[in-house]
Amino acid sequence: MIAILQPFIPHYREDFFTGLGSHESCDVFVYDKKEADKSNFRQSGIATKKIASFERKGILVYNPFSLLKQEYKVLVLMLNFAHLSTWILLLTRIFHRKKIILWGHGISVKRYTAEEQRPSRLLRWMIGLSDGVWFYTAKEKEIWQKIHPQIPSVSLNNTISEVDRIVSRVPGDKQILRGKYRIREEVIFIFSARFNTADRRIDLLEESMKKLSSKKFGFIIIGDGKLKPDFGRYKNVYDFGELYDRQTKNELFDAADIYFQPGWLGLSIVEAMAYGKPIISFERSTALKQCVEYAYVQNGFNGLIFSDTEAFLTAVQRLSFQELTILGENGKRFAATYLSMDNMVNSGLSLIKKIRGEKS
């Protein structure tokens, strides 16, 4: 039996745990359900067990004895050096003999440009003590394989629930849907993410709204959060707030031409690519942060990455619908090939089997 530790289980992770559970007996332990509400996450319906914990200034201590029951042979813990109890479990493996998989980014999103060249020393020690690692994407796996070639690892190719259903559906008629929602502009951007961090660079989103022609360019906004600005001042912005109804999201993405998110690109681009929308964003830098899923965007293939807003504003006015269609189709194929939920589940299972000495 496998014990998995997470802060909470958001809705987009539901299919992953359901898929794992169809192959392996799993207990999922959570320690911070309140964070889901605070950060505008919708929680999944996955059955979980509460683990006693204490957190202060990012340092977490949880009850390790909850995970040391005899039935648990494999523990999937978080690749987070601030989890003191995880260090205890790693350092005492010789006594409890549990197999430990660490699951995480493998790199700080906020310090990505520095750690890409010099990975965290604490994570280096942590990974060295483990039996294996689930990395979110292939890029971070490649970085760590050079440092710890002896530690088995996989890239899960982090994805979302419903990705397969989105990829396989037949899109609705764009013009009919624009009429339904009274969207008038010729080129429509869509943004779908939580307004919970300044690193999403909503300032650049608003700058684009101000500088692009309001008669030609429109913006569909999906998402809510404490940092959300008032979009009501823009006549070419269609704000739908927090939205989880899949049918409505289907129609809004079908009505759009481009997915545009200036910073902190994460799992939202998986959804956008599944809908066949090209991704537009900006280059990662010390000033402009991007999440690990940013690696899914290949400039000129399934999206366009710009150095600054001026380059973006100039280029976007020259883009043809043919170019956008090709980029979007490439993104949809990429999602279907590499970001299916079966792929994520099977990658995770392959490492579990490997550290148990089983054949895949």
Side-chain angles (χ1 to χ4, degrees), residues 44-300:
S44 79
I46 295 293
T48 60
K49 295 187 175 186
K50 184 77 170 75
I51 192 168
S53 65
F54 174 78
E55 187 171 5
R56 187 177 179 85
K57 295 183 178 180
I59 306 297
L60 176 73
V61 177
Y62 56 84
N63 179 11
F65 296 103
S66 298
L67 306 176
L68 291 176
K69 294 178 181 178
Q70 188 174 357
E71 60 263 35
Y72 301 132
K73 306 302 181 185
V74 177
L75 310 180
V76 180
L77 309 177
M78 297 177 71
L79 181 54
N80 187 327
F81 58 69
H83 288 193
L84 298 186
S85 299
T86 299
W87 284 105
I88 293 170
L89 290 167
L90 287 167
L91 291 166
T92 57
R93 274 194 314 144
I94 191 173
F95 302 109
H96 59 66
R97 299 184 181 279
K98 308 289 186 187
K99 299 290 186 180
I100 297 180
I101 292 174
L102 298 175
W103 180 10
H105 296 101
I107 197 165
S108 167
V109 173
K110 293 197 172 184
R111 298 184 297 276
Y112 199 103
T113 54
E115 291 191 8
E116 188 177 13
Q117 304 301 320
R118 184 176 293 181
S120 163
R121 185 174 296 177
L122 289 173
L123 290 186
R124 184 189 300 250
W125 294 338
M126 204 171 210
I127 290 171
L129 291 168
S130 74
D131 293 287
V133 188
W134 283 355
F135 289 107
Y136 276 61
T137 74
K139 185 173 181 182
E140 292 73 40
K141 176 180 180 291
E142 289 170 8
I143 291 171
W144 282 105
Q145 269 194 325
K146 295 174 184 176
I147 298 168
H148 282 303
Q150 78 285 7
I151 303 294
S153 65
V154 295
S155 165
L156 295 180
N157 278 4
N158 197 33
T159 192
I160 60 169
S161 296
E162 295 192 273
V163 65
D164 305 295
R165 293 186 285 277
I166 296 170
V167 166
S168 62
R169 59 180 288 276
V170 177
D173 185 280
K174 182 176 292 186
Q175 297 308 319
I176 291 175
L177 292 171
R178 287 186 181 183
K180 176 179 178 178
Y181 292 101
R182 298 181 180 179
I183 297 170
R184 302 172 297 275
E185 294 75 25
E186 181 184 344
V187 180
I188 304 298
F189 297 101
I190 187 168
F191 171 100
S192 179
R194 291 168 294 120
F195 292 85
N196 64 338
T197 172
D199 289 314
R200 292 203 198 280
R201 297 304 304 269
I202 306 308
D203 58 318
L204 299 181
L205 177 64
E206 281 205 272
E207 182 181 347
S208 303
M209 292 173 177
K210 293 172 183 175
K211 291 187 175 180
L212 288 171
S213 168
S214 61
K215 293 182 179 179
K216 180 177 180 179
F217 296 94
F219 296 80
I220 293 171
I221 302 295
I222 298 173
D224 209 347
K226 60 183 179 181
L227 298 180
K228 185 174 182 176
D230 177 15
F231 290 117
R233 65 188 116 168
Y234 304 107
K235 293 181 180 179
N236 60 332
V237 175
Y238 307 88
D239 185 2
F240 292 84
E242 188 175 57
L243 178 65
Y244 292 107
D245 177 66
R246 181 52 63 187
Q247 181 57 35
T248 304
K249 288 190 90 173
N250 287 346
E251 293 178 348
L252 294 176
F253 270 93
D254 288 346
D257 300 298
I258 303 164
Y259 185 82
F260 177 45
Q261 185 176 322
W264 209 253
L265 276 187
L267 281 171
S268 55
I269 63 172
V270 175
E271 182 177 53
M273 285 195 290
Y275 279 114
K277 303 303 162 185
I279 312 300
I280 287 185
S281 191
F282 295 102
E283 292 177 1
R284 175 190 274 135
S285 67
T286 53
L288 197 145
K289 312 293 191 303
Q290 301 286 12
C291 300
V292 295
E293 291 83 7
Y294 175 75
Y296 297 157
V297 185
Q298 299 171 31
N299 189 29

